[in-house]
């Protein structure tokens, strides 16, 4: 998902001249002060809402109730028209024409706030905005009006499904998100057959993209970021991705084809995907591997999903610590999708590690308040009995000595 954000921002750069992608965002200087409700300590300019949404969603998935102020911060990032920008420094200032609305941030916020509950007004207006900026091909780009891409279309599908919408019935000019995704799916045969492309290139050609494929599988299945664990390996809703690639006449078959592509790609490199960033040395891609685990689990491809998760358990600690809350969230969501305990992820407690990047969750807050109240009660009780001890002494020793003790008590207070 981190690479997904980077790809989306890079696409926006090409369209409207946006700045550097989130992955290259600098760490804050000591003089910079970001909201205390925000997860992570890196510059949130390009991924604040995104990483906050993933952090809250992952905590909810793990049975943790996030800090109230963190949830409130996310809800207040919304613009009056229902959209969300990547990050707004001052939410009290109204969004204007210069505010860069973000379909990815909006959709992530919808999924998080829907899961947490109690924000129907916020999510309703957000979905209304997403529908208003749907492209004629049925899909969405990173920014309103941008060319449709697999990643953005899929995360919007997840938001629609989370709020009870039927993505297949959300249409523009008779085209649904599934129509857009089918156009971005590579046909069987040749290199990358069955995968999804991020977008067509300048010549209209499609190139296989593992990150887009992981997103496309979920989008074609009408699912969001949270996938319920369960299912048998190779079994899907009427399809068998293990059977290989077949003509994608339906979104379900396109998802099965994408899963088959991911399975092959993961098996090729010991259970993980490799980075495909231009100009960079090939290296393991932890974020995309986690996304692929979720996608395969959504199709019931548990064998490869579990194998790749085991690889992440052994190798992802340094990456997650360096990348921050969104990375921990990705790992938690991958663990959840395979029925793995995120509190014992290769010996690490992902939930605790995620929590350490932001405000203490409400469960911890309540425990702290309870302990504080207990301490205060004990202190109050000690004072109470201390007073009566003095009273007893006063009664025994006489009025004069009683005054002496009372004076000493006042000095101590």
């Amino acid at each position: 998902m981190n690479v997904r954000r980077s790809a989306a921002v890079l696409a926006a750069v090409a369209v409207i001249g946006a700045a550097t992608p989130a992955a290259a965002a600098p760490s804050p200087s000591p003089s910079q002060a970001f909201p205390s409700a925000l997860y992570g300590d890196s510059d949130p300019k390009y991924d604040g809402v995104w990483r906050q949404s993933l952090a809250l969603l992952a905590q909810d998935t793990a049975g943790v109730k996030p800090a109230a102020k963190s949830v409130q911060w996310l809800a207040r990032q919304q613009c009056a028209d229902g959209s969300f920008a990547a990050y707004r420094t001052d939410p009290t200032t109204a969004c204007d024409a210069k505010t860069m609305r973000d379909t990815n941030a909006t959709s992530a916020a919808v999924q998080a706030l829907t899961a947490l509950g109690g924000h129907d007004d916020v999510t309703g207006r957000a979905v209304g905005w997403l529908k208003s900026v749907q492209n004629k091909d049925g899909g969405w780009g990173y920014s309103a009006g941008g060319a449709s891409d697999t990643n953005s279309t899929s995360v919007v599908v997840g938001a629609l499904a989370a709020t009870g919408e039927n993505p297949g019935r959300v249409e523009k000019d008779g085209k649904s998100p599934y129509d857009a995704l089918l156009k971005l799916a590579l046909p069987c045969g040749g290199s990358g057959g069955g995968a999804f492309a991020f977008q067509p290139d300048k010549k209209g050609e499609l190139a296989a993209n593992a990150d887009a494929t992981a997103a496309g599988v979920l989008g074609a299945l009408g699912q969001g970021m949270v996938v319920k664990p369960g299912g048998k390996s190779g079994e899907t809703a009427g399809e068998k991705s293990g059977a290989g690639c077949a003509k994608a006449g339906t979104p379900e078959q396109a998802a099965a084809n994408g899963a088959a592509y991911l399975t092959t790609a993961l098996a090729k490199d010991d259970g993980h995907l490799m980075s495909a960033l231009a100009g960079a040395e090939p290296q393991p891609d932890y974020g995309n591997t986690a996304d692929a685990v979720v996608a395969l689990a959504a199709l019931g491809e548990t064998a490869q999903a579990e194998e790749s998760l085991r690889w992440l358990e052994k190798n992802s600690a340094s990456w997650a610590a360096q990348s921050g809350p969104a990375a921990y969230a990705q790992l938690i969501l991958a663990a959840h999708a395979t029925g793995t305990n995120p509190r014992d992820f290769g010996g690490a407690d992902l939930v605790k590690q995620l929590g350490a990047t932001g405000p203490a969750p409400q469960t911890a807050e309540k425990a702290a308040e309870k302990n504080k109240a207990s301490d205060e009660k004990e202190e109050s009780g000690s004072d109470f009995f201390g007073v009566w001890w003095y009273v007893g002494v006063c009664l025994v020793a006489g009025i004069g000595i009683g005054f002496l003790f009372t004076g000493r008590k006042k000095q101590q207070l």
Side-chain angles (χ1 to χ4, degrees), residues 88-127:
R88 296 171 61 202
T89 305
D90 181 11
T92 63
T93 301
C95 299
D96 56 23
K98 295 182 180 179
T99 303
M100 183 177 169
R101 275 77 168 173
D102 179 342
T103 62
N104 289 232
T106 302
S107 299
V110 167
Q111 293 188 53
L113 293 173
T114 299
L116 294 169
H119 298 85
D120 291 349
D121 178 59
V122 175
T123 57
R125 286 187 290 121
V127 168

Side-chain angles (χ1 to χ4, degrees), residues 83-250:
S83 66
F84 283 75
Y87 175 71
R88 296 171 61 202
T89 305
D90 181 11
T92 63
T93 301
C95 299
D96 56 23
K98 295 182 180 179
T99 303
M100 183 177 169
R101 275 77 168 173
D102 179 342
T103 62
N104 289 232
T106 302
S107 299
V110 167
Q111 293 188 53
L113 293 173
T114 299
L116 294 169
H119 298 85
D120 291 349
D121 178 59
V122 175
T123 57
R125 286 187 290 121
V127 168
W129 179 79
L130 289 169
K131 290 180 177 180
S132 73
V133 297
Q134 185 177 17
N135 291 331
K136 292 182 178 181
D137 62 5
W140 285 266
Y142 172 79
S143 56
S148 297
D149 66 75
T150 296
N151 302 70
S152 298
T153 299
S154 296
V155 74
V156 173
V157 166
L160 295 172
T163 56
E165 295 273 357
N166 181 342
R169 294 181 179 177
V170 178
E171 299 181 337
K172 183 68 174 290
D173 290 353
K175 300 292 185 180
S176 77
Y178 297 137
D179 292 309
L181 290 174
L182 285 173
K183 284 189 175 182
L184 291 165
L186 275 72
C188 300
S191 177
F196 284 86
F198 175 70
Q199 283 178 329
D201 61 21
K202 294 181 179 179
K203 296 181 180 179
E205 300 294 326
L206 300 178
N209 183 300
D211 177 44
T213 301
V217 169
L218 290 179
L221 291 174
Q223 295 201 37
M225 299 178 190
V226 178
V227 171
K228 293 182 180 179
K232 298 179 181 179
S233 182
E235 294 184 4
T236 70
E239 307 286 352
K240 285 186 177 291
S241 61
C245 190
K247 184 176 180 180
T250 64

Side-chain angles (χ1 to χ4, degrees), residues 2-398:
N2 289 339
V3 174
R4 184 178 305 172
R5 284 290 299 171
S6 299
V9 175
L10 283 170
V13 170
V15 176
I16 61 176
T20 313
S27 298
S29 65
S31 62
Q32 287 179 295
F34 298 129
S36 62
L38 184 66
Y39 283 83
D41 58 7
S42 63
D43 193 335
K45 185 175 182 179
Y46 302 109
D47 76 335
V49 168
W50 178 264
R51 76 189 192 209
Q52 188 83 348
S53 300
L54 264 65
L56 300 179
L57 188 61
Q59 285 188 322
D60 178 75
T61 300
V64 174
K65 192 171 184 179
K69 67 177 183 180
S70 293
V71 180
Q72 185 180 57
W73 178 89
L74 179 59
R76 287 180 174 176
Q77 285 285 303
Q78 186 175 44
C79 296
D81 63 2
S83 66
F84 283 75
Y87 175 71
R88 296 171 61 202
T89 305
D90 181 11
T92 63
T93 301
C95 299
D96 56 23
K98 295 182 180 179
T99 303
M100 183 177 169
R101 275 77 168 173
D102 179 342
T103 62
N104 289 232
T106 302
S107 299
V110 167
Q111 293 188 53
L113 293 173
T114 299
L116 294 169
H119 298 85
D120 291 349
D121 178 59
V122 175
T123 57
R125 286 187 290 121
V127 168
W129 179 79
L130 289 169
K131 290 180 177 180
S132 73
V133 297
Q134 185 177 17
N135 291 331
K136 292 182 178 181
D137 62 5
W140 285 266
Y142 172 79
S143 56
S148 297
D149 66 75
T150 296
N151 302 70
S152 298
T153 299
S154 296
V155 74
V156 173
V157 166
L160 295 172
T163 56
E165 295 273 357
N166 181 342
R169 294 181 179 177
V170 178
E171 299 181 337
K172 183 68 174 290
D173 290 353
K175 300 292 185 180
S176 77
Y178 297 137
D179 292 309
L181 290 174
L182 285 173
K183 284 189 175 182
L184 291 165
L186 275 72
C188 300
S191 177
F196 284 86
F198 175 70
Q199 283 178 329
D201 61 21
K202 294 181 179 179
K203 296 181 180 179
E205 300 294 326
L206 300 178
N209 183 300
D211 177 44
T213 301
V217 169
L218 290 179
L221 291 174
Q223 295 201 37
M225 299 178 190
V226 178
V227 171
K228 293 182 180 179
K232 298 179 181 179
S233 182
E235 294 184 4
T236 70
E239 307 286 352
K240 285 186 177 291
S241 61
C245 190
K247 184 176 180 180
T250 64
E252 292 80 10
Q253 185 59 56
N257 292 347
Y261 170 84
L262 289 174
T263 298
T264 300
L266 288 164
K268 185 185 302 183
D269 288 298
D270 194 29
H272 66 275
L273 298 173
M274 295 294 291
S275 173
L277 295 177
E281 289 293 327
Q283 58 184 329
D285 195 325
Y286 305 94
N288 285 348
T289 299
D291 290 350
V293 168
V294 176
L296 291 176
L299 275 162
E301 289 291 336
T302 56
Q304 184 60 62
E306 290 172 0
E307 181 181 336
S308 295
L309 193 79
R310 298 289 88 80
W311 182 88
L312 287 168
E313 286 184 317
K314 295 177 182 178
N315 299 282
S316 64
S318 296
W319 165 75
Q322 181 179 6
S323 301
Y328 286 121
Q330 285 177 266
L331 294 175
I332 290 172
L333 296 177
H336 176 76
T338 58
T340 301
N341 183 3
R343 297 181 184 277
D344 185 14
F345 191 80
D349 187 339
L350 295 176
V351 179
K352 182 178 180 180
Q353 291 173 329
L354 171 59
T357 68
Q362 289 190 43
T363 48
E365 289 175 347
K366 290 181 179 179
E369 290 174 1
K370 183 177 180 180
N371 291 335
K372 182 179 179 181
S374 177
D375 292 341
E376 290 175 348
K377 183 177 181 180
E378 290 177 3
E379 291 175 3
S380 176
S382 298
D383 290 343
F384 177 79
F385 287 109
V387 170
W388 279 107
W389 182 83
Y390 277 112
V391 171
V393 172
C394 292
L395 291 173
V396 174

